[in-house]
Amino acid sequence: MIKFQDVSKTYEGQTHQALRDVNVGIDKGEFVFLVGASGSGKSTFLRLILREYRPTRGHVYVAGSDVGRLPSCRIPRLRRKVGIVFQDFRLLPGKNVYQNVAFALKVIGKPSSVIRRTVPETIEMVGLSGMEDRLPDELSGGEQQRVGLARAFVNRPPILLADEPTGNLDPATSVGIMKLLDRINRTGTTVVMATHDSTIVDQMRKRVIELVDGAVVRDQSKGVYGS
Amino acid sequence: MRHTLSETFSGLRRNLTSTLAVVVTMWVSLSLFGIGVLSAQQVDLIKGRWYDRIELTVFLCTAASQGQNCDPGQDATQAQKDAVRAALESNDEVQTVFYQSKDQVYEEFREVYKDSSILGTMRASDMQDLFRIKLKNPEEYQGVRSAVEGMPGVQAVQDLRQYLEPLFGWMNLAQALTVGASALLLLAAALQIGNTIRMAAFSRRRELGIMRLVGASNFYIMAPFLLESLIAALAGALLANGTLAALEQFVILGKAKPSIQTVPWVDWNHVVIAMVVLVAVAVVLSIIPTLIATRRYLKV
């Protein structure tokens, strides 16, 4: 589903390599933790999958296409196959829960009949039924992240990326988010989650890829946070 | 589509004052530009009419003429006129020759100056009989000129262009100034559109960021901005077209044409051409700054 082949990334104007010779393959339906200190390259890894950047060297394959070579007019189509949630949720403050989720479908031109069907379904799945009319600042952090997840998943992408999704949440709330991600993973969605929350990683016992200074130092199935 | 339209109108509402500024600037600058286009057509019309009709005029002697080929106190005789006409008609460079008597010249004079006080001071006897000559090649007037200049009964030979060139020179200058001023104003309008859209895009940068992330197409992201600037520019163009139409109806058809009938005036066909040009300019000047202003929010 996702394949990094000898990937290095140096950001423009910098000499430091954000990623170094990364070779990783992630199969369909896998759940992968990406661990490492801040600045170890986790976010760069995710952003290369989304084709926010091109790799400086090597190839990144997502759902069969070499994203570094994708012409820019094809990028929107790639991104419709990849959902993403962030540490800071990135909800639109002026829109309520329903509108925030529906926005993701509306702007890719989904017909309103599809929106009316899928949006309530997804809101129910993330456990926010009855809160459709709330604005983001009327929600707790955990609830906001659920909206973020609903927005990322409402189009049923085969790949879901999560960039420190529990970074702003307390441990109890984080568990709820992890259960949700696990549930999404069990629908067959490939999940890649960058985190430095060791408790979560240790509890879930999923595949762990550890990055240090841009290089993969560990790739372990059913791993824990520390080696 | 509904999303695009609702975004467009909420954008227009949000930036109402900037949008109005764009509309007004577009209106004034496009009106000036349109006037420039019309005056260019007007100059062409006048040039076409007069250059087409005559290039050389041979003035014949009158009783009052002082010329060296004239017999003092006497009009050119019929024999002299015939000789001049024969000389002209036999010249290879001459295409057509036509004769106008004093009375005919006076008629034309009265037509041109009918509202002027100068009319009362002139009579038919103050006019001169003359030949108007059209040349095969307007540049080659010297041969014809020298052929008849020394003939008895010829008072003077005038190259019309020598009188019209300065007039056209001034008209061209006025036109260049109009177009130049309008170009500056149009530049200001384009920059204003760019700024308005940049601000609109900045205030919506969160939404734009999410749209890019979830895979909205560039066109979809840009459409509300393009429509917004297009609507503002077209509103300006519409007002400018109205201004041109009013100018044609009330100034040219209403005042200029009835008072000066000897020259052709720009008609509705010319106005429509100018209007089409204005709309095209408005479209280009709204789309290009919008594309530039939104580029950084669309970079993938």
Side-chain angles (χ1 to χ4, degrees), chain B residues 43 47 167-177:
Chain B
V43 168
K47 270 186 183 166
L167 173 69
F168 288 140
W170 286 110
M171 284 172 87
N172 283 336
L173 180 67
Q175 188 187 323
L177 288 175

Side-chain angles (χ1 to χ4, degrees), chain A residues 100-195:
Chain A
N100 261 289
V101 178
F103 185 74
L105 292 180
K106 242 162 105 176
V107 300
I108 57 173
K110 290 280 179 197
S112 50
S113 59
V114 173
I115 296 176
R116 275 198 300 273
R117 196 181 66 241
T118 9
V119 174
E121 216 174 84
T122 312
I123 289 176
E124 196 198 331
M125 179 192 159
V126 300
L128 290 178
S129 295
M131 298 192 181
E132 287 88 349
D133 298 333
R134 303 261 193 102
L135 290 172
D137 61 7
E138 298 167 339
L139 299 172
S140 70
E143 287 163 346
Q144 289 190 47
Q145 191 58 293
R146 284 168 191 269
V147 179
L149 268 169
R151 183 179 66 195
F153 191 60
V154 69
N155 194 30
R156 302 293 185 268
I159 297 170
L160 184 74
L161 308 178
D163 195 356
E164 312 257 7
T166 58
N168 276 346
L169 305 176
D170 61 64
T173 314
S174 299
V175 170
I177 295 297
M178 289 317 296
K179 279 187 177 154
L180 199 49
L181 277 171
D182 192 38
R183 197 174 147 196
I184 287 172
N185 175 234
R186 269 187 263 138
T187 65
T189 309
T190 309
V191 176
V192 181
M193 171 169 161
T195 186

Side-chain angles (χ1 to χ4, degrees), chain B residues 60-63 70-71 74-81 102 129 152-154:
Chain B
L60 299 170
C61 294
T62 64
C70 299
D71 301 324
Q74 194 183 326
D75 282 5
T77 63
Q78 191 57 44
Q80 285 172 336
K81 289 179 193 170
K102 282 187 185 122
D129 295 333
V154 173

